[in-house]
Amino acid sequence: MRNAWRNLSLRSLPWIASRGPSVSPPNLLVKVPEPKNPSFLLPFVGRIRSPSYLGIRWFSPDPAGSDEIKAELESLDLSFDRETMDLVLRDLKCVHSASEDGRVKLNSESYNRMLQTLGNNGRSEEFWRVVGTMRKKGFGISKATYLSVSKSFREEKMEKDVNLLNEAYSLSTGRNEAETACQEICKILREEEPGEILQKKLDDIDDSLLSELVGVVLELTTEHPEKALLLMEQVEKRSSLKIDGGVYNAMARILGRKDCINEFQDLLRKMRDQGHELELKTYIKVSHWFHQRKMIAEVADLYEFAMSGTVKPPPQDFLFLLKKIVLSKDLDLDLITRVVRIFVEDGNSIKRSVFGGVLKSLRSVGRLGECDKVLAAMEQGGFAADSSVHDRVVIGLCDAGRSDGAFKYLDNIENEGYSLDVKTWTYLVKKHSVAGELEQALSCFKVMTERRGGENVGCAFEELMKGYCQKDKIKDAHKVLNEMVTKRNVQPWHSTYKFLIEMFINQGYLKESFSLLEPMKSHGFPPYIDPYISYLSKLGTVDDAMGFLKAMTVKEFPSRTVFMRVFETLLKAGRHDVAHGILSKSPGSVRNHADVLDLFYSMKPDDASAVIA
């Protein structure tokens, strides 16, 4: 029916186009007895088409043979038993139409004649089968057929069939009236000032018909919200008419497409006051149009209204709306709080992945430095953030260049009872160190050791030491290391010791590097002697070598293996004088050992030159 109304109205009102979502009128169904073949059972809701609309030419009865009509009936899946077929063919009297190619076609009169024949002979099952076929072809029950068959049904005491026939006939005639009224209203709306004429026309229409009719007409006025508003205004004046939610939803889809936000909000208030809900398709379409026009506050209003109903918006719309808010030109923290509160008060919990999605949006528009404010707004709305969420805020502030703010935030959060990840502390120390903010980095590291102890801070300490070395503050690094190791029980990583030894030696702080070997050994790491051996082979003096060997000493001197490696390296490098100087100061257990004497004998100056060559 809806399509038929559209076609009729489009012919009478060319400027009205139905491009928007369809408005489905109330489903009017008629139940029929269940036959042996149920395939024809379809709702008696169909297109009521006039002969001119169907393009059928009407003829008076002609002498066409019954065989042709029988073939036509069979082609329509109307196969009756022999007795019924003979009855229909005898009383049908060849009432039919002919197409241009001369083939026989049963017309509306033919079908109604067939109904009379079947109904008057008590053929209930075949009667309703024909009604179903007529519905498919767009034909309705005529008044003459209705009167004749209903009388017959009553006489035979077929009460169930009588009731069904009343409903089917009422539906057919009602739809004809509705289509005519739809055409007339559309024509009136086309006028420049249709107010008085429209009101008069609406007054002539019964309430039961008008409620359905308004929804159809509204569908046809999608592109003309001013006409739709006029129609609604006139209809609402009728106190006896209760407008259903479908009509209001159709109106909402019209106003949501145009710059009629005030009227749209008034409509939502009316719907709320009258207890109507927003259909899901209405919410989806209107929110999409609002998003396209960047009307985020209006989307939030629509979201709140939809969440108050029984049919909720899709869950993913919550995160989508939050992202749109943070992507807006002006960040509205109050709107974030409001949307979160709407979602939480509806009984939902917010996963931390939602905040992760918000962070990505903030990063994309260069607002990562405001992530702490956004989280605060979300918490005010009811979001329960855990330690992992606060970790992400600290990292976000660091990435945004707000390291000082990140440290204050971290400190405050842990004072409130949260325990943030060690990696978060490390990241903050690293950011300060890379930025050359060594005092802030050291301050942050000290607080970290106070709360974490000295055993699990190795990564952060290494980043701190790298920061000092990159600023050529080797002595300060040495001082910090001694303080952290001796006073705060910090346990540097093996890689940290190796890094510092190399840096100290390369920067000319050989003697300072010797002090690293003792704590290195005390923490259970093997001594790192390669940089020392390399240095001695090129630049080291006898005193440098003896200082290194004493630093490597466990009791008095290091093992003979270390001596052997120093001697061999120096002799191969041709630095015999330094090697002999070290030998002369070595303890007797080394100086007189056979392996040492054999090494010096085998690496005489001439042999050493040959090796070098």
Side-chain angles (χ1 to χ4, degrees):
M1 184 212 71
R2 184 176 63 206
N3 293 333
W5 288 18
R6 180 185 295 113
N7 291 329
L8 288 170
S9 301
L10 288 177
R11 291 199 305 274
S12 62
L13 190 60
W15 52 264
I16 293 179
S18 177
R19 299 178 182 175
S22 61
V23 177
S24 301
N27 291 326
L28 301 177
L29 304 180
V30 177
K31 297 181 180 178
V32 298
E34 182 176 353
K36 297 178 181 179
N37 179 13
S39 62
F40 88 97
L41 285 178
L42 295 171
F44 295 118
V45 179
R47 300 178 180 138
I48 308 302
R49 301 181 178 180
S50 66
S52 60
Y53 180 76
L54 293 172
I56 296 177
R57 292 185 293 119
W58 299 92
F59 294 86
S60 58
D62 60 24
S66 62
D67 290 341
E68 292 179 319
I69 298 178
K70 181 177 181 180
E72 170 68 8
L73 294 175
E74 291 176 348
S75 69
L76 296 173
D77 197 24
L78 292 176
S79 56
F80 310 123
D81 57 35
R82 181 177 183 82
E83 181 183 357
T84 304
M85 184 66 76
D86 290 343
L87 180 67
V88 169
L89 291 175
R90 183 177 65 251
D91 291 346
L92 190 57
K93 298 180 181 179
C94 300
V95 181
H96 63 274
S97 65
S99 61
E100 293 181 357
D101 59 4
R103 297 182 59 186
V104 172
K105 297 291 182 181
L106 298 178
N107 55 29
S108 178
E109 185 179 355
S110 303
Y111 278 104
N112 273 279
R113 181 71 179 186
M114 195 185 307
L115 288 180
Q116 292 182 38
T117 300
L118 295 172
N120 292 334
N121 285 276
R123 302 277 181 165
S124 175
E125 181 176 330
E126 292 86 351
F127 176 87
W128 292 113
R129 186 181 301 163
V130 172
V131 170
T133 302
M134 291 175 66
R135 180 263 174 193
K136 295 178 183 179
K137 298 184 69 65
F139 298 141
I141 301 173
S142 68
K143 183 176 181 180
T145 300
Y146 167 72
L147 294 174
S148 175
V149 175
S150 61
K151 178 181 179 181
S152 178
F153 281 170
R154 289 191 185 92
E155 291 175 352
E156 297 295 329
K157 297 183 179 180
M158 300 167 63
E159 296 299 329
K160 183 177 180 180
D161 292 281
V162 170
N163 294 333
L164 291 174
L165 181 59
N166 289 337
E167 292 183 36
Y169 178 68
S170 176
L171 183 62
S172 297
T173 56
R175 292 199 181 282
N176 287 330
E177 293 176 9
E179 290 173 2
T180 302
C182 179
Q183 287 182 323
E184 293 175 353
I185 293 176
C186 289
K187 183 177 181 180
I188 294 172
L189 287 174
R190 188 172 56 182
E191 302 294 333
E192 292 184 4
E193 297 182 0
E196 294 183 2
I197 304 176
L198 178 62
Q199 184 62 59
K200 183 177 180 181
K201 177 60 184 176
L202 295 177
D203 290 341
D204 295 336
I205 301 176
D206 185 73
D207 284 354
S208 60
L209 180 61
L210 184 59
S211 180
E212 180 180 347
L213 180 62
V214 171
V216 177
V217 175
L218 285 178
E219 178 187 355
L220 303 175
T221 60
T222 302
E223 298 297 331
H224 300 272
E226 68 283 355
K227 300 295 185 180
L229 284 169
L230 176 60
L231 176 62
M232 282 293 293
E233 178 184 351
Q234 298 290 351
V235 170
E236 288 175 336
K237 290 180 179 180
R238 184 182 293 191
S239 59
S240 61
L241 178 64
K242 181 175 176 58
I243 304 176
D244 61 30
V247 172
Y248 278 111
N249 273 272
M251 193 68 197
R253 291 192 291 271
I254 295 173
L255 298 180
R257 297 187 61 175
K258 299 294 182 180
D259 296 327
C260 305
I261 188 59
N262 292 332
E263 292 81 359
F264 178 82
Q265 291 174 342
D266 289 340
L267 182 70
L268 288 187
R269 283 191 286 270
K270 290 180 182 178
M271 292 179 68
R272 182 182 293 108
D273 294 341
Q274 298 180 27
H276 297 305
E277 294 188 4
L278 205 64
E279 295 174 0
L280 184 58
K281 66 177 181 180
T282 303
Y283 166 78
I284 292 175
K285 287 181 179 295
V286 177
S287 61
H288 173 69
W289 294 326
F290 283 173
H291 277 301
Q292 285 184 324
R293 287 177 280 174
K294 303 186 184 303
M295 300 167 62
I296 306 303
E298 287 73 15
V299 176
D301 291 338
L302 187 67
Y303 181 77
E304 181 177 17
F305 185 89
M307 287 293 287
S308 65
T310 57
V311 181
K312 312 292 183 182
Q316 61 269 24
D317 275 24
F318 170 64
L319 175 57
F320 183 74
L321 181 52
L322 286 181
K323 288 183 174 182
K324 288 296 183 180
I325 295 173
V326 301
L327 292 173
S328 300
K329 183 178 180 181
D330 298 316
L331 182 60
D332 192 339
L333 297 176
D334 292 336
L335 193 57
I336 292 177
T337 300
R338 178 186 168 198
V339 171
V340 171
R341 182 176 292 115
I342 293 169
F343 188 74
V344 172
E345 289 182 350
D346 193 56
N348 302 296
S349 60
I350 303 175
K351 298 179 180 179
R352 57 175 176 263
S353 59
V354 171
F355 184 71
V358 173
L359 279 180
K360 289 182 180 179
S361 296
L362 287 170
R363 189 186 298 272
S364 68
V365 292
R367 284 180 175 165
L368 199 55
E370 298 183 78
C371 61
D372 55 336
K373 298 178 183 178
V374 171
L375 178 58
M378 292 181 65
E379 288 182 312
Q380 189 175 352
F383 174 47
D386 58 13
S387 296
S388 64
V389 171
H390 293 298
D391 282 325
R392 302 190 72 167
V393 172
V394 174
I395 294 174
L397 293 175
C398 288
D399 290 342
R402 290 186 56 199
S403 298
D404 288 339
F407 178 51
K408 292 178 181 178
Y409 183 88
L410 188 154
D411 189 37
N412 292 334
I413 286 298
E414 290 213 334
N415 287 332
E416 292 178 7
Y418 293 93
S419 180
L420 270 62
D421 197 295
V422 172
K423 293 180 180 179
T424 303
W425 283 95
T426 301
Y427 196 78
L428 181 55
V429 172
K430 179 179 179 180
K431 282 293 183 179
H432 278 304
S433 300
V434 170
E437 302 165 351
L438 300 180
E439 292 184 7
Q440 293 91 327
L442 180 58
S443 177
C444 180
F445 182 77
K446 287 180 178 180
V447 175
M448 181 182 181
T449 58
E450 291 174 359
R451 297 177 180 174
R452 296 289 185 277
E455 296 183 359
N456 299 316
V457 296
C459 183
F461 185 70
E462 183 167 302
E463 296 296 338
L464 181 63
M465 291 294 97
K466 288 181 179 178
Y468 275 98
C469 292
Q470 288 170 358
K471 290 294 183 179
D472 294 329
K473 294 187 176 183
I474 304 298
K475 291 185 177 181
D476 292 336
H478 185 244
K479 180 180 178 181
V480 170
L481 184 141
N482 288 333
E483 179 186 353
M484 293 297 108
V485 172
T486 59
K487 296 182 179 181
R488 296 180 180 267
N489 297 319
V490 172
Q491 296 183 11
W493 286 354
H494 191 203
S495 60
T496 304
Y497 281 116
K498 293 168 70 173
F499 168 76
L500 289 174
I501 288 173
E502 291 177 355
M503 291 298 298
F504 278 31
I505 293 175
N506 292 337
Q507 295 295 325
Y509 295 98
L510 181 66
K511 292 181 179 180
E512 288 78 1
S513 71
F514 294 156
S515 63
L516 299 176
L517 297 175
E518 178 60 32
M520 189 176 185
K521 289 185 291 181
S522 68
H523 288 144
F525 299 125
Y528 185 47
I529 66 175
D530 290 347
Y532 293 103
I533 299 298
S534 177
Y535 177 81
L536 293 174
S537 68
K538 299 175 182 178
L539 303 173
T541 64
V542 174
D543 291 339
D544 293 337
M546 294 309 296
F548 162 67
L549 292 170
K550 288 180 180 180
M552 290 289 296
T553 301
V554 176
K555 293 182 180 181
E556 184 178 358
F557 279 101
S559 66
R560 191 167 48 254
T561 303
V562 177
F563 276 97
M564 287 290 291
R565 186 173 176 185
V566 171
F567 290 146
E568 184 178 5
T569 300
L570 290 170
L571 293 173
K572 284 184 178 180
R575 304 196 68 194
H576 292 264
D577 53 341
V578 176
H580 282 279
I582 296 171
L583 181 63
S584 65
K585 294 184 178 183
S586 300
S589 60
V590 175
R591 187 171 59 250
N592 297 320
H593 196 277
D595 291 341
V596 175
L597 295 175
D598 288 343
L599 177 63
F600 273 87
Y601 181 78
S602 64
M603 298 292 288
K604 292 179 181 181
D606 292 339
D607 294 337
S609 301
V611 171
I612 295 173

